[in-house]
Amino acid sequence: MKLYGSITSPYVRRIRFLCLELGIPFQLVDTMTESGQKELREKNPLWKVPYLETDDVKIWDSHTITDYILETKGHGKFRPKAGDHLYREANLLTAIDQALDNAILLFYLNKEGIKPDAAPYLTKNALRISSILEFIKRELSGNHFFSDGKVGLSEIALYSTLDWMRFRSVLPILEEEIFVNFLNFHGPNKSWMETAPK
């Protein structure tokens, strides 16, 4: 299995984490290199990561890659993507991804010297992140979203998102006790440590 992406991408990290936890071997093609980026652009019209190739299957969306892995390799110890919690978890994933996408946009614009107040749309994006994080704080009870105590896709998405925000200093995540507790609870996991951005 060939996984295209960078070690700093939170979306790629989710796939790397799943593969490590489920014992699935993969080759990471670093798209931060010139050759890796060239190969990605030749194969993936979106020019986005993660991108997965395995056998005759080619997938260029993190959620579809996740579905493929879980359907072909099983859920292991993770909470299955089914049951009464399905739609609540889908909403959580949508919210977390929206916050992450907006944070990534702010990060890259900031690198270009463009601040959130440069345009009403950018201000709205920044406010949307705050709204979503407030929602996540309300939904998060203890260290998990659900009372079964298992880790599912929403916990994986939230950990990779919060840790990326902390790594990139996009938002003051460490000022929020509930997020710090969440990161500290999941952080000692070997696969999270092995996939940490550098």
Side-chain angles (χ1 to χ4, degrees), residues 64-76:
T64 311
I65 293 170
T66 298
D67 288 344
Y68 173 81
I69 289 171
L70 296 179
E71 285 171 15
T72 59
K73 308 299 182 183
H75 285 81

Side-chain angles (χ1 to χ4, degrees), residues 49-84:
V49 296
Y51 167 61
L52 181 85
E53 283 186 352
T54 178
D55 300 322
D56 293 330
V57 179
K58 296 172 175 58
I59 310 171
W60 50 60
D61 171 73
S62 61
H63 291 292
T64 311
I65 293 170
T66 298
D67 288 344
Y68 173 81
I69 289 171
L70 296 179
E71 285 171 15
T72 59
K73 308 299 182 183
H75 285 81
K77 62 186 177 185
F78 295 111
R79 183 172 56 248
K81 190 180 174 183
D84 295 339

Side-chain angles (χ1 to χ4, degrees), residues 4-97:
Y4 291 75
S6 69
I7 60 170
T8 55
S9 165
Y11 286 111
V12 174
R13 189 179 186 192
R14 295 178 192 181
I15 307 304
R16 293 166 60 216
F17 174 82
L18 264 182
C19 287
L20 288 172
E21 287 290 293
L22 294 172
I24 303 167
F26 66 95
Q27 174 195 351
L28 181 66
V29 178
D30 185 358
T31 55
M32 295 301 286
T33 66
E34 189 176 331
S35 61
Q37 187 61 214
K38 181 177 183 291
E39 194 175 341
L40 172 73
R41 292 185 181 203
E42 288 170 352
K43 297 181 173 190
N44 180 350
L46 277 62
W47 294 8
K48 288 176 66 177
V49 296
Y51 167 61
L52 181 85
E53 283 186 352
T54 178
D55 300 322
D56 293 330
V57 179
K58 296 172 175 58
I59 310 171
W60 50 60
D61 171 73
S62 61
H63 291 292
T64 311
I65 293 170
T66 298
D67 288 344
Y68 173 81
I69 289 171
L70 296 179
E71 285 171 15
T72 59
K73 308 299 182 183
H75 285 81
K77 62 186 177 185
F78 295 111
R79 183 172 56 248
K81 190 180 174 183
D84 295 339
H85 65 273
L86 177 63
Y87 298 109
R88 181 176 172 223
E89 187 147 56
N91 282 341
L92 286 166
L93 286 169
T94 299
I96 293 165
D97 286 353

Side-chain angles (χ1 to χ4, degrees), residues 111-132:
K111 283 180 72 173
E112 298 292 328
I114 302 170
K115 300 299 178 190
D117 59 359
Y121 176 76
L122 298 180
T123 302
K124 182 179 178 181
N125 273 356
L127 292 172
R128 183 182 289 127
I129 297 171
S130 297
S131 171
I132 292 169

